[in-house]
């Protein structure tokens, strides 16, 4: 069912509503498929979980999300 804010969408007013609806639908699909019951590789989480969380910040023009595999980050860390 369409919400009232979807018929006259204004990104400045309705971005958070739109993001929340997307996030709930994405998580619900993962839950209903059973994919959250098993451990996955990091890339799976980046694609299936973090991608919609990152979209929450779409309205922040100065923010850019950058992801690297943990191995690439640890290579540069001095212990």
């Amino acid at each position: 069912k369409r919400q009232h804010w979807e018929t006259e969408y204004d990104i400045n007013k309705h971005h958070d509503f739109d993001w929340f609806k997307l996030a709930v639908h994405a998580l619900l699909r993962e839950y209903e498929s059973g994919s959250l019951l098993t451990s996955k590789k990091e890339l799976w989480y980046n694609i299936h979980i973090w991608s919609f969380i990152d979209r929450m910040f779409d309205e922040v023009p100065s923010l850019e999300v950058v992801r690297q595999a943990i191995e690439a980050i640890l290579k540069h860390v001095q212990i």
Side-chain angles (χ1 to χ4, degrees), residues 3-79:
Q3 301 297 313
H4 68 85
W5 53 267
E6 291 177 293
T7 57
E8 297 180 28
Y9 184 78
D10 178 345
I11 193 167
N12 296 316
K13 294 179 183 176
H14 305 116
H15 175 268
D16 293 342
F17 293 117
D18 191 34
W19 175 83
F20 186 77
K21 185 174 182 177
L22 168 75
V24 168
H25 283 234
L27 275 176
L28 189 58
R29 286 174 59 175
E30 297 298 344
Y31 174 78
E32 288 178 344
S33 73
S35 66
L36 299 174
L37 298 174
T38 59
S39 181
K40 306 282 191 247
K41 301 226 180 238
E42 183 178 358
L43 181 60
W44 186 92
Y45 289 102
N46 285 344
I47 294 169
H48 293 261
I49 305 297
W50 288 109
S51 63
F52 71 80
I53 293 172
D54 295 342
R55 285 182 178 70
M56 179 173 57
F57 301 104
D58 281 349
E59 65 183 11
V60 182
S62 61
L63 182 66
E64 181 179 345
V65 176
V66 178
R67 298 220 184 277
Q68 285 184 323
I70 191 69
E71 295 82 13
I73 295 170
L74 291 176
K75 186 166 69 173
H76 298 289
V77 173
Q78 304 237 345
I79 299 177

